[in-house]
Structure formats: structure tokens, C-alpha cells
Amino acid sequence: MNQVDYLRISLIDRCNFRCQYCMPEGAELDYILQQELLTNPEILTLLKEVFIPLGFQKFRLTGGEPLLRPGVVDLVKDIAALPQTQDMSMTTNGFFLGKMAQDLYDAGLRRLNISLDSLNPEKFDKITGNRGRSRWQQTWEGIQRAHQVGFDPLKLNVAVIPGVNDSEVLDLAALTLERHWHVRFIEFMPIGNAELFGDRAWVPSEELRQRIRDQWGLMESQVRGNGPADVFQIPGAKGTLGFISQMSECFCDRCNRMRLSADGWLRPCLLNEAGQMDLKTSLREGVEPAQLREQVRQLLLIKPEINFKERDSGTETGKYARTMSRIGG
Ligand code: SAM
Ligand code: SF4
């Protein structure tokens, strides 16, 4: 059985962007109340007493926008200081990195994935739902700052949406020619947004690879990630290209992760709600961490079944109701 050792921790469901596919209009009505968020000490208790003893050693901080969470730098420092932490990373929209990249680096964060769906400021603002002053420039500067500070290699995530930004795939791939960056193309998932994108909501990774191959050639990279991305490289390029193909391929059998939402729900599979556990309520009601650990151990045992059971029915019907900002992307 695959070792499940990777926990994605959502720090907050709020975001300063409104990406159409992730934060539909009105999402704010549903925001988790401040007092319902797991606190930093609760997150640390869960890591030290529940997850780490069960073998979890890799943690990704995400959201919503994780850099909006008060106390995020302290939390990074505390997680980095746990002797069992083998790997800690963060997924962010990059907007606050101009100010925060150095503090995050000093706190012990070494890996960042920054989402960048377009190099065209107008399109970027449209996708991210920015009205008024453009946010592209500050985001781009945040990316540069992260690079200067020492986040290397830097990963950029692109959710590829047909008819919206798939025409930019070559421009985005070209970022790797002269930079030691890792650009990752993610097949768009109809999660909580299926109605927005009509019949064909995603472009198969192989179609993107073919476009890149036709332009420059493409080879499989020697560098293998430990995640779900298939890694390639344009011959002679400094950086690499990753393709995350959760729609065209099923890698549920290799799934090594669970997700903890900002309000403390543990979710064994992104694509369905089976088996979810409310760890925060249990903790606040005084359930002993050892008992929670036992419950999570049981959940780990049935995770492979949960992975497989609902995936296909969900993707066919587009029935996933919660967007990524709520689940923790
Ligand atoms: N706010 C941060 C950011 O944008 O990087 C972290 C949270 S966001 C939910 C994490 C990632 O999920 C982003 O790269 C975003 O593009 C991706 N994402 C959100 N909804 C998605 C969807 N329906 N399909 C594919 N990727 C999605
Ligand atoms: Fe915010 Fe990230 Fe969702 Fe965009 S994808 S709305 S930046 S959480």
C-alpha cells in the first residue's frame, strides 16, 4: 500500500483574489468564521500528536491565500523546527511575496509554488477577478523577489482553462528557457465550477506537450519530482516543465496525501467527501489526541477505497460542490 505521508494544510479559506474557477461571486458569504479556524497551537498539536506519529513528514501550507493568515510566519517557523519535518512548502498567489518572501525564508520555508495563470496583465486580472488597479505587476514582482531571496527552484502553477489561457502555454513554457524555474501545467478540474466552463473544461496534458514539442522539442527530464507531476524539459532549457494530469490519468493509486481544511476537517480524498473527520471539534471537546490518532489510523486504512470509489462518478457529473479555496488547494 502507498505510504501516505503528505498533509496539505489549509490555513484560511479567504483570498484577496477572486479566480473565477475557485472563488465564484458570493463565496465570501460562506467564509469560515475566525473562531472556527484551527489556531496555530491546534495545528501544531495535531501535527505533533496525530500526524507525525502516523508517519506524516511532508507538509504543504495552502488556502485560500495562506499569506492572509495572521501569524503565518510564526507557524512556518514552528513547523520547520519540528525535527520530523522532512519537507515543508507553500502554495500562494504570490501577491504578498514582495513584502513577505524574506521573512518566510528566514522562518525556514524553502519551497514555494506560485500560481500564475497568465503573463498578460489584462487576462490575469480577468481570471483572478481583479477590478480596478491591476494586480499582475505586484504578483510578478513577488515572484522575482522570491527568486532573489533564494527560493530555488521556483515553481509556477498554471491551471490551464480552455479558451481562456491555453493559448499562452508556449509563452509560459518559454519562461523555463533561461530561468531555473519549474512551470507546471495543471489540468483544470470541474470542482464547484463545472457550469462555468461548458462541455470541455480541461485540456489534456498530452495536447499541451505536443504543442511544446512542435515548437522546441521536448524530452523527459532526469529530475523526478516526488509529487504527481510528470516532468519534462525543453532541450537546452535551464528549467523544467511539469504536467499534472489528474483528469486524463488516474493516479489515485499513487496518492500519498490527505488534506486538512482551515476549520479542521480532515479529508482523505480531494474528489469526494467520504470519510471526512472533524478534528477541530473533537480537539475542542477534549478528545485525547491519542484517540484522534487512532481514528486517523483507521481512516488511513480505508483511504485506498475512498480514493477509487467516487472519482469517476464525480468527474462525469461535475457534482463536486466545494471549490478548491474551501477544500484547500
Ligand atoms: N491562493 C493560493 C494559490 O492560488 O496558489 C493557494 C490556494 S489555490 C486553491 C491552489 C491551487 O489550486 C492554485 O494553483 C489554483 O490554480 C489551483 N486550483 C484552484 N481551483 C482549481 C481547479 N478547479 N482546477 C485546477 N486547479 C485549481
Ligand atoms: Fe485565491 Fe488561489 Fe483560489 Fe485564486 S486560486 S481565488 S488566488 S485561493
Side-chain angles (χ1 to χ4, degrees), residues 21 62-65 91-93 115 157 159 187-189 193 324 329:
Y21 53 79
T62 180
E65 174 45 45
T91 305
T92 169
N93 63 31
S115 303
N157 281 354
E187 283 178 354
F188 183 72
M189 287 181 284
N193 54 24
M324 293 287 268

Side-chain angles (χ1 to χ4, degrees), residues 13-23 62-66 91-93 115 117 127-128 324-325 329:
D13 60 336
R14 289 164 200 255
C15 189
N16 54 320
F17 286 3
R18 288 283 173 283
C19 301
Q20 302 164 40
Y21 53 79
C22 178
M23 284 259 178
T62 180
E65 174 45 45
T91 305
T92 169
N93 63 31
S115 303
D117 291 343
I127 296 172
T128 54
M324 293 287 268
S325 61

Side-chain angles (χ1 to χ4, degrees), residues 205-218:
S205 294
E206 181 46 33
E207 201 175 305
L208 304 182
R209 284 196 289 266
Q210 194 53 48
R211 288 190 217 167
I212 296 167
R213 211 175 273 126
D214 291 346
Q215 178 77 16
W216 293 289
L218 190 64

Side-chain angles (χ1 to χ4, degrees), residues 223-244:
V223 185
R224 289 259 9 123
N226 55 3
D230 297 315
V231 187
F232 288 77
Q233 193 159 28
I234 296 171
K238 292 190 176 149
T240 52
L241 295 170
F243 297 86
I244 304 184

